[in-house]
Amino acid sequence: MHDPTNLSRRDFGKLSVAALAGLSLAGGASFAADDKKSDKSPLLSDPHVCRGLNTCKSKGASKQNTCAGTGTCATVKSHSCGGSNECKGQGGCGEKPGENACKGQGDCHVPLAKQAWKKARKRFEVLMKADNKKFGEAPKAKVS
């Protein structure tokens, strides 16, 4: 019979490799969980690109809004051209307004045009509901 307390170098090597493999998998799972946290949409962070996209009370430009989704204006720096956004999530249009991945990758201006705003607000509502966060009715657009 084999004595489990008397390991050969070969047995010790096999067990060491197995232990390291287990640690590697556990570490990889931890990094994967961190990656999922970082995948949060820029629409659910501040600053934001237009009215009705704030994530919390007093996070609108005027700081007078009473809850998420009721801010009256963008809190990012306004810009009038594609690629002029200063950070992730600050671009104005395209397929996912307010969700560009990086500085200079926004497709157009902030504050948002009417159609881009509709797209962004709809996505904002979907994301907020998925996160079980409450939000209010979006403020009406200012008439110029």
Side-chain angles (χ1 to χ4, degrees), residues 57-139:
K57 177 182 177 177
S58 300
K59 291 268 185 153
S62 69
K63 310 254 188 267
Q64 301 298 312
N65 56 295
T66 58
C67 70
T70 62
T72 57
C73 198
T75 56
V76 301
K77 183 178 176 185
S78 293
H79 56 274
S80 60
C81 191
S84 297
N85 58 295
E86 293 182 346
C87 198
K88 175 181 179 177
Q90 295 181 8
C93 59
E95 283 303 307
K96 293 184 175 183
E99 294 188 272
N100 56 290
C102 196
K103 175 182 179 174
Q105 290 185 355
D107 290 333
C108 62
H109 62 85
V110 168
L112 303 178
K114 185 177 182 178
Q115 290 304 317
W117 180 83
K118 285 180 181 180
K119 213 183 276 188
R121 176 61 189 207
K122 183 177 181 180
R123 177 96 168 116
F124 172 82
E125 290 179 7
V126 166
L127 293 168
M128 290 290 279
K129 286 176 184 174
D131 262 6
N132 293 318
K133 294 183 179 177
K134 295 181 181 179
F135 58 94
E137 189 173 324

Coordinates of all heavy atoms in Angstrom, one line a residue, residues 57-139:
K57 N -30.4 62.2 -7.5 CA -30.9 63.5 -7.0 C -29.7 64.5 -7.0 O -28.6 64.1 -6.7 CB -31.5 63.3 -5.6 CG -31.9 64.6 -5.0 CD -32.5 64.4 -3.6 CE -32.9 65.8 -3.0 NZ -33.4 65.6 -1.7
S58 N -30.0 65.7 -7.5 CA -29.0 66.8 -7.5 C -27.8 66.6 -8.4 O -26.8 67.2 -8.3 CB -28.5 67.1 -6.1 OG -29.6 67.4 -5.3
K59 N -27.9 65.6 -9.3 CA -26.8 65.4 -10.3 C -27.1 66.0 -11.6 O -26.4 65.8 -12.6 CB -26.6 63.9 -10.5 CG -26.1 63.2 -9.3 CD -24.6 63.1 -9.3 CE -24.1 62.3 -8.2 NZ -22.8 61.7 -8.4
G60 N -28.1 66.9 -11.7 CA -28.4 67.6 -13.0 C -27.5 68.9 -13.0 O -26.9 69.2 -11.9
A61 N -27.4 69.6 -14.1 CA -26.6 70.8 -14.2 C -27.0 71.8 -13.2 O -26.1 72.5 -12.6 CB -26.6 71.3 -15.6
S62 N -28.3 72.0 -13.0 CA -28.8 73.0 -12.0 C -28.7 72.6 -10.6 O -28.8 73.4 -9.7 CB -30.2 73.4 -12.3 OG -31.1 72.3 -12.0
K63 N -28.5 71.3 -10.3 CA -28.5 70.6 -9.0 C -29.8 70.7 -8.3 O -29.9 70.5 -7.1 CB -27.4 71.2 -8.1 CG -26.0 71.3 -8.8 CD -25.1 70.2 -8.2 CE -23.7 70.4 -8.7 NZ -23.4 69.6 -9.9
Q64 N -30.9 71.1 -9.0 CA -32.2 71.3 -8.4 C -33.1 70.1 -8.7 O -34.2 70.1 -8.2 CB -32.9 72.5 -9.1 CG -32.1 73.8 -8.8 CD -31.9 74.2 -7.4 OE1 -32.9 74.2 -6.6 NE2 -30.7 74.5 -7.0
N65 N -32.7 69.1 -9.4 CA -33.6 67.9 -9.7 C -33.8 67.1 -8.5 O -32.9 67.0 -7.6 CB -33.0 67.1 -10.8 CG -31.6 66.6 -10.6 OD1 -30.7 67.4 -10.5 ND2 -31.4 65.3 -10.4
T66 N -35.0 66.5 -8.4 CA -35.4 65.8 -7.2 C -35.0 64.3 -7.2 O -35.1 63.6 -6.2 CB -36.9 65.9 -6.9 OG1 -37.6 65.4 -8.1 CG2 -37.2 67.3 -6.7
C67 N -34.7 63.7 -8.4 CA -34.4 62.3 -8.5 C -33.7 62.0 -9.8 O -33.6 62.8 -10.7 CB -35.6 61.4 -8.2 SG -36.8 61.4 -9.6
A68 N -33.2 60.8 -9.9 CA -32.6 60.3 -11.2 C -33.5 60.5 -12.3 O -34.7 60.4 -12.2 CB -32.2 58.8 -11.0
G69 N -32.9 60.9 -13.5 CA -33.7 61.0 -14.7 C -34.4 62.3 -14.9 O -35.1 62.5 -15.8
T70 N -34.3 63.2 -13.9 CA -35.1 64.5 -14.0 C -34.2 65.7 -14.2 O -34.7 66.8 -14.1 CB -35.9 64.7 -12.8 OG1 -35.1 64.8 -11.6 CG2 -36.9 63.5 -12.6
G71 N -32.9 65.6 -14.4 CA -32.0 66.7 -14.6 C -32.3 67.4 -15.9 O -32.8 66.8 -16.8
T72 N -32.2 68.7 -15.9 CA -32.6 69.5 -17.0 C -31.5 69.7 -18.1 O -31.8 70.3 -19.2 CB -33.1 70.9 -16.6 OG1 -32.0 71.6 -15.9 CG2 -34.3 70.8 -15.7
C73 N -30.3 69.4 -17.9 CA -29.3 69.6 -18.9 C -28.1 68.7 -18.7 O -27.9 68.1 -17.6 CB -28.8 71.1 -18.8 SG -28.0 71.6 -20.3
A74 N -27.2 68.6 -19.7 CA -26.0 67.9 -19.7 C -25.0 68.4 -18.6 O -25.1 69.6 -18.3 CB -25.3 67.9 -21.0
T75 N -24.2 67.6 -18.0 CA -23.2 68.1 -17.1 C -21.8 67.9 -17.7 O -20.8 68.4 -17.1 CB -23.3 67.3 -15.8 OG1 -23.1 65.9 -16.0 CG2 -24.5 67.6 -15.0
V76 N -21.7 67.3 -18.9 CA -20.4 67.2 -19.6 C -20.2 68.6 -20.3 O -21.2 69.3 -20.5 CB -20.3 66.1 -20.6 CG1 -20.5 64.7 -19.9 CG2 -21.2 66.2 -21.7
K77 N -19.0 68.8 -20.6 CA -18.7 70.1 -21.4 C -19.3 70.0 -22.7 O -19.2 69.0 -23.5 CB -17.2 70.2 -21.5 CG -16.7 71.4 -22.2 CD -15.2 71.5 -22.2 CE -14.8 72.7 -23.0 NZ -13.3 72.7 -23.2
S78 N -20.1 71.0 -23.1 CA -20.7 71.1 -24.4 C -19.6 71.1 -25.5 O -18.6 71.7 -25.3 CB -21.6 72.3 -24.6 OG -22.7 72.2 -23.7
H79 N -19.9 70.4 -26.6 CA -19.1 70.5 -27.8 C -19.9 70.4 -29.0 O -21.0 69.8 -29.0 CB -17.9 69.5 -27.7 CG -18.4 68.0 -27.6 ND1 -18.7 67.5 -26.4 CD2 -18.7 67.1 -28.5 CE1 -19.0 66.2 -26.5 NE2 -19.1 66.0 -27.8
S80 N -19.4 70.9 -30.1 CA -20.3 71.0 -31.3 C -19.8 70.1 -32.5 O -20.4 70.2 -33.5 CB -20.3 72.5 -31.8 OG -19.0 72.9 -32.1
C81 N -18.9 69.2 -32.2 CA -18.4 68.4 -33.3 C -18.0 67.0 -32.9 O -17.6 66.8 -31.7 CB -17.1 69.1 -33.9 SG -16.6 68.4 -35.4
G82 N -18.1 66.1 -33.8 CA -17.7 64.7 -33.5 C -16.3 64.6 -33.1 O -15.4 65.3 -33.7
G83 N -16.0 63.8 -32.2 CA -14.6 63.6 -31.8 C -14.0 64.6 -30.8 O -12.9 64.6 -30.4
S84 N -14.9 65.5 -30.4 CA -14.5 66.6 -29.4 C -14.8 66.2 -28.0 O -14.5 67.1 -27.1 CB -15.1 67.9 -29.8 OG -14.7 68.3 -31.1
N85 N -15.3 65.1 -27.7 CA -15.6 64.7 -26.4 C -14.4 64.5 -25.6 O -13.4 64.0 -26.1 CB -16.6 63.5 -26.3 CG -16.0 62.3 -27.0 OD1 -15.8 62.3 -28.2 ND2 -15.7 61.2 -26.3
E86 N -14.4 64.8 -24.3 CA -13.2 64.8 -23.4 C -13.0 63.4 -22.7 O -12.0 63.2 -22.2 CB -13.3 65.9 -22.4 CG -13.1 67.2 -23.0 CD -13.2 68.3 -22.0 OE1 -13.5 68.1 -20.8 OE2 -12.8 69.5 -22.3
C87 N -14.0 62.5 -22.8 CA -13.9 61.3 -22.0 C -14.9 60.3 -22.5 O -15.8 60.5 -23.3 CB -14.2 61.6 -20.5 SG -13.6 60.4 -19.4
K88 N -14.8 59.1 -22.0 CA -15.7 57.9 -22.2 C -17.1 58.4 -21.9 O -17.3 59.0 -20.9 CB -15.3 56.8 -21.4 CG -16.2 55.6 -21.4 CD -15.7 54.5 -20.5 CE -16.6 53.3 -20.5 NZ -16.1 52.2 -19.7
G89 N -18.1 58.0 -22.8 CA -19.5 58.3 -22.5 C -19.9 59.7 -22.7 O -21.0 60.1 -22.4
Q90 N -19.1 60.5 -23.3 CA -19.4 61.9 -23.5 C -19.7 62.3 -25.0 O -19.7 63.5 -25.3 CB -18.4 62.8 -22.9 CG -18.3 62.7 -21.4 CD -17.3 63.5 -20.7 OE1 -16.7 64.4 -21.4 NE2 -17.1 63.3 -19.5
G91 N -19.8 61.3 -25.8 CA -20.1 61.6 -27.2 C -21.6 61.8 -27.4 O -22.4 61.2 -26.7
G92 N -22.0 62.5 -28.5 CA -23.4 62.9 -28.6 C -24.3 62.0 -29.4 O -25.5 62.2 -29.3
C93 N -23.9 61.2 -30.4 CA -24.9 60.5 -31.2 C -24.3 59.2 -31.7 O -23.4 58.6 -31.1 CB -25.4 61.4 -32.3 SG -24.2 62.0 -33.5
G94 N -24.8 58.7 -32.8 CA -24.4 57.4 -33.3 C -25.4 56.4 -32.8 O -26.5 56.7 -32.4
E95 N -25.0 55.1 -32.9 CA -25.9 54.1 -32.4 C -26.2 54.1 -31.0 O -27.3 53.8 -30.5 CB -25.3 52.7 -32.8 CG -25.4 52.3 -34.3 CD -26.8 52.4 -34.7 OE1 -27.7 51.7 -34.2 OE2 -27.1 53.1 -35.7
K96 N -25.2 54.5 -30.2 CA -25.4 54.5 -28.7 C -25.0 55.9 -28.1 O -23.8 56.0 -27.6 CB -24.7 53.4 -28.0 CG -25.3 52.0 -28.4 CD -24.5 50.9 -27.6 CE -25.2 49.6 -27.8 NZ -24.5 48.6 -27.0
P97 N -25.8 56.9 -28.3 CA -25.4 58.2 -27.7 C -25.1 58.1 -26.2 O -25.8 57.5 -25.5 CB -26.5 59.1 -28.0 CG -27.7 58.3 -28.4 CD -27.1 56.9 -28.8
G98 N -24.0 58.8 -25.8 CA -23.6 58.8 -24.4 C -22.9 57.5 -24.0 O -22.6 57.3 -22.8
E99 N -22.6 56.6 -24.9 CA -21.9 55.4 -24.6 C -20.6 55.1 -25.3 O -20.2 54.0 -25.4 CB -22.9 54.2 -24.7 CG -24.1 54.3 -23.8 CD -24.9 53.0 -23.9 OE1 -25.8 53.0 -24.7 OE2 -24.7 52.1 -23.1
N100 N -20.0 56.1 -25.9 CA -18.8 55.9 -26.6 C -17.7 55.4 -25.6 O -17.7 55.7 -24.5 CB -18.3 57.2 -27.3 CG -18.1 58.3 -26.4 OD1 -19.1 58.9 -25.9 ND2 -16.9 58.7 -26.1
A101 N -16.7 54.6 -26.2 CA -15.8 53.9 -25.3 C -14.6 54.8 -24.9 O -13.9 54.4 -23.9 CB -15.2 52.7 -26.1
C102 N -14.3 55.9 -25.5 CA -13.1 56.6 -25.2 C -13.2 58.1 -25.6 O -14.0 58.5 -26.4 CB -12.0 55.9 -25.9 SG -10.3 56.3 -25.3
K103 N -12.2 58.9 -25.1 CA -12.1 60.3 -25.4 C -11.9 60.4 -27.0 O -11.3 59.6 -27.6 CB -10.8 60.8 -24.8 CG -10.5 62.2 -25.2 CD -9.2 62.7 -24.5 CE -8.9 64.1 -25.0 NZ -7.8 64.7 -24.3
G104 N -12.6 61.3 -27.6 CA -12.5 61.6 -29.0 C -13.3 60.6 -29.9 O -13.1 60.6 -31.1
Q105 N -14.0 59.7 -29.3 CA -14.8 58.7 -30.1 C -16.3 59.0 -30.2 O -17.0 58.2 -30.7 CB -14.5 57.3 -29.5 CG -13.1 56.8 -29.7 CD -13.0 55.4 -29.3 OE1 -13.9 54.7 -28.7 NE2 -11.8 54.8 -29.5
G106 N -16.7 60.1 -29.7 CA -18.1 60.5 -29.8 C -18.4 60.9 -31.2 O -17.6 61.5 -31.9
D107 N -19.6 60.6 -31.7 CA -19.9 60.9 -33.1 C -20.4 62.3 -33.4 O -20.2 62.8 -34.5 CB -21.0 59.9 -33.7 CG -20.4 58.5 -33.8 OD1 -19.2 58.4 -34.0 OD2 -21.2 57.5 -33.8
C108 N -21.0 63.0 -32.4 CA -21.3 64.4 -32.7 C -21.6 65.1 -31.4 O -21.1 64.7 -30.3 CB -22.5 64.5 -33.6 SG -24.0 63.7 -33.1
H109 N -22.3 66.2 -31.4 CA -22.3 67.2 -30.4 C -23.1 66.9 -29.1 O -23.9 66.0 -29.1 CB -22.8 68.5 -30.9 CG -24.2 68.4 -31.5 ND1 -25.3 68.5 -30.6 CD2 -24.7 68.1 -32.7 CE1 -26.4 68.4 -31.4 NE2 -26.1 68.1 -32.6
V110 N -22.8 67.6 -28.1 CA -23.5 67.6 -26.8 C -23.8 69.1 -26.5 O -23.0 69.9 -26.7 CB -22.6 67.0 -25.7 CG1 -23.3 67.3 -24.3 CG2 -22.4 65.6 -25.9
P111 N -25.1 69.4 -26.1 CA -26.2 68.5 -25.8 C -26.7 67.8 -27.0 O -26.4 68.2 -28.2 CB -27.2 69.4 -25.2 CG -26.8 70.8 -25.3 CD -25.4 70.8 -25.9
L112 N -27.5 66.7 -26.8 CA -27.9 65.9 -27.8 C -29.0 66.5 -28.7 O -29.8 67.2 -28.2 CB -28.5 64.6 -27.2 CG -27.5 63.8 -26.3 CD1 -28.3 62.6 -25.7 CD2 -26.3 63.4 -27.0
A113 N -29.0 66.0 -30.0 CA -30.1 66.4 -30.9 C -31.3 65.5 -30.5 O -31.2 64.5 -29.8 CB -29.7 66.1 -32.3
K114 N -32.5 65.9 -30.9 CA -33.7 65.3 -30.5 C -33.7 63.8 -30.7 O -34.1 63.0 -29.8 CB -34.9 65.9 -31.3 CG -36.3 65.4 -30.9 CD -37.3 66.1 -31.7 CE -38.7 65.7 -31.3 NZ -39.8 66.4 -32.0
Q115 N -33.4 63.3 -31.9 CA -33.4 61.8 -32.1 C -32.4 61.1 -31.3 O -32.6 60.0 -30.8 CB -33.2 61.5 -33.6 CG -34.4 61.9 -34.5 CD -35.7 61.3 -34.0 OE1 -35.8 60.1 -33.7 NE2 -36.8 62.1 -34.0
A116 N -31.2 61.7 -31.1 CA -30.2 61.0 -30.3 C -30.6 61.0 -28.8 O -30.4 60.0 -28.1 CB -28.8 61.8 -30.4
W117 N -31.3 62.1 -28.4 CA -31.8 62.1 -27.0 C -32.8 61.0 -26.8 O -32.8 60.3 -25.8 CB -32.4 63.5 -26.6 CG -32.9 63.4 -25.2 CD1 -32.2 63.6 -24.1 CD2 -34.2 63.1 -24.8 NE1 -32.9 63.5 -23.0 CE2 -34.2 63.1 -23.4 CE3 -35.4 62.8 -25.4 CZ2 -35.3 62.9 -22.6 CZ3 -36.5 62.5 -24.7 CH2 -36.5 62.6 -23.3
K118 N -33.7 60.8 -27.7 CA -34.7 59.8 -27.6 C -34.1 58.4 -27.4 O -34.5 57.6 -26.6 CB -35.7 59.8 -28.8 CG -36.7 60.9 -28.8 CD -37.6 60.8 -30.0 CE -38.6 61.9 -30.1 NZ -39.4 61.8 -31.3
K119 N -33.1 58.1 -28.2 CA -32.3 56.9 -28.2 C -31.6 56.7 -26.9 O -31.7 55.6 -26.2 CB -31.3 56.9 -29.3 CG -31.0 55.5 -29.9 CD -30.0 55.6 -31.0 CE -30.5 56.1 -32.3 NZ -29.5 56.0 -33.4
A120 N -31.0 57.8 -26.4 CA -30.2 57.7 -25.1 C -31.2 57.5 -24.0 O -30.9 56.7 -23.0 CB -29.4 59.0 -25.0
R121 N -32.3 58.3 -24.0 CA -33.2 58.2 -22.8 C -33.8 56.8 -22.8 O -34.0 56.2 -21.7 CB -34.3 59.2 -22.9 CG -35.4 59.2 -21.9 CD -34.9 59.4 -20.5 NE -35.9 59.1 -19.5 CZ -36.0 59.6 -18.3 NH1 -35.1 60.4 -17.9 NH2 -37.0 59.2 -17.5
K122 N -34.2 56.2 -23.9 CA -34.8 54.9 -23.9 C -33.8 53.8 -23.3 O -34.1 53.0 -22.5 CB -35.1 54.5 -25.4 CG -35.8 53.1 -25.5 CD -36.2 52.8 -26.9 CE -36.9 51.5 -27.0 NZ -37.3 51.2 -28.4
R123 N -32.5 53.9 -23.8 CA -31.5 53.1 -23.3 C -31.2 53.3 -21.8 O -31.1 52.3 -21.0 CB -30.2 53.3 -24.1 CG -29.0 52.5 -23.6 CD -28.8 51.2 -24.4 NE -27.5 50.7 -24.1 CZ -27.3 49.5 -23.5 NH1 -28.4 48.8 -23.2 NH2 -26.1 49.1 -23.2
F124 N -31.2 54.6 -21.3 CA -31.1 54.9 -19.9 C -32.2 54.2 -19.1 O -31.9 53.6 -18.1 CB -31.2 56.4 -19.8 CG -31.2 56.9 -18.4 CD1 -30.1 57.1 -17.6 CD2 -32.4 57.3 -17.8 CE1 -30.1 57.6 -16.3 CE2 -32.5 57.8 -16.5 CZ -31.3 57.9 -15.7
E125 N -33.4 54.3 -19.5 CA -34.5 53.6 -18.8 C -34.3 52.1 -18.7 O -34.5 51.5 -17.7 CB -35.8 54.0 -19.5 CG -36.2 55.5 -19.3 CD -37.5 55.8 -20.0 OE1 -38.2 54.9 -20.5 OE2 -37.8 57.1 -20.0
V126 N -33.9 51.5 -19.8 CA -33.7 50.1 -19.8 C -32.6 49.7 -18.8 O -32.7 48.8 -18.0 CB -33.3 49.6 -21.2 CG1 -32.7 48.1 -21.2 CG2 -34.5 49.6 -22.1
L127 N -31.5 50.4 -18.8 CA -30.3 50.2 -17.9 C -30.7 50.4 -16.5 O -30.3 49.6 -15.6 CB -29.1 51.0 -18.3 CG -28.5 50.7 -19.7 CD1 -27.5 51.8 -20.1 CD2 -27.8 49.3 -19.6
M128 N -31.4 51.5 -16.2 CA -31.8 51.8 -14.8 C -32.8 50.7 -14.3 O -32.6 50.2 -13.1 CB -32.5 53.2 -14.7 CG -31.6 54.3 -15.0 SD -30.4 54.6 -13.6 CE -31.4 55.5 -12.4
K129 N -33.7 50.3 -15.1 CA -34.6 49.2 -14.7 C -33.9 47.9 -14.4 O -34.1 47.2 -13.5 CB -35.7 49.0 -15.7 CG -36.7 50.1 -15.7 CD -37.8 49.9 -16.9 CE -38.7 51.0 -16.9 NZ -39.6 50.9 -18.1
A130 N -32.9 47.6 -15.3 CA -32.1 46.4 -15.1 C -31.3 46.4 -13.8 O -31.0 45.4 -13.2 CB -31.2 46.2 -16.3
D131 N -30.9 47.6 -13.4 CA -30.2 47.8 -12.1 C -31.1 48.0 -10.9 O -30.6 48.3 -9.8 CB -29.2 49.0 -12.2 CG -27.8 48.6 -12.6 OD1 -27.6 47.4 -12.8 OD2 -26.9 49.5 -12.5
N132 N -32.4 47.9 -11.2 CA -33.4 48.1 -10.1 C -33.3 49.5 -9.5 O -33.4 49.6 -8.3 CB -33.4 47.0 -9.0 CG -33.8 45.7 -9.6 OD1 -34.7 45.6 -10.3 ND2 -33.0 44.6 -9.2
K133 N -33.0 50.5 -10.3 CA -32.9 51.9 -9.8 C -34.1 52.7 -10.2 O -34.6 52.5 -11.3 CB -31.6 52.5 -10.4 CG -30.4 51.9 -9.8 CD -29.1 52.6 -10.4 CE -27.9 51.9 -9.8 NZ -26.7 52.6 -10.3
K134 N -34.6 53.5 -9.3 CA -35.7 54.3 -9.6 C -35.3 55.6 -10.3 O -34.2 56.1 -10.1 CB -36.5 54.7 -8.3 CG -37.1 53.5 -7.6 CD -37.8 53.9 -6.3 CE -38.3 52.7 -5.6 NZ -39.0 53.0 -4.4
F135 N -36.2 56.1 -11.2 CA -35.9 57.3 -11.9 C -37.3 58.0 -12.2 O -38.3 57.4 -12.2 CB -35.1 57.1 -13.2 CG -35.8 56.2 -14.1 CD1 -36.6 56.6 -15.2 CD2 -35.6 54.8 -14.0 CE1 -37.2 55.8 -16.0 CE2 -36.2 53.9 -14.9 CZ -37.0 54.4 -15.9
G136 N -37.2 59.3 -12.4 CA -38.4 60.1 -12.7 C -38.6 60.4 -14.1 O -37.8 60.0 -15.0
E137 N -39.7 61.0 -14.4 CA -40.0 61.4 -15.8 C -39.0 62.4 -16.3 O -38.7 63.4 -15.6 CB -41.5 62.0 -15.8 CG -42.0 62.2 -17.2 CD -43.4 62.6 -17.2 OE1 -44.2 62.1 -16.4 OE2 -43.8 63.4 -18.1
A138 N -38.6 62.3 -17.5 CA -37.7 63.2 -18.1 C -38.3 64.6 -18.2 O -39.5 64.7 -18.6 CB -37.2 62.7 -19.5
P139 N -37.5 65.7 -18.0 CA -38.0 67.0 -18.2 C -38.3 67.3 -19.7 O -37.7 66.6 -20.6 CB -36.9 67.9 -17.7 CG -35.7 67.1 -17.7 CD -36.1 65.7 -17.6

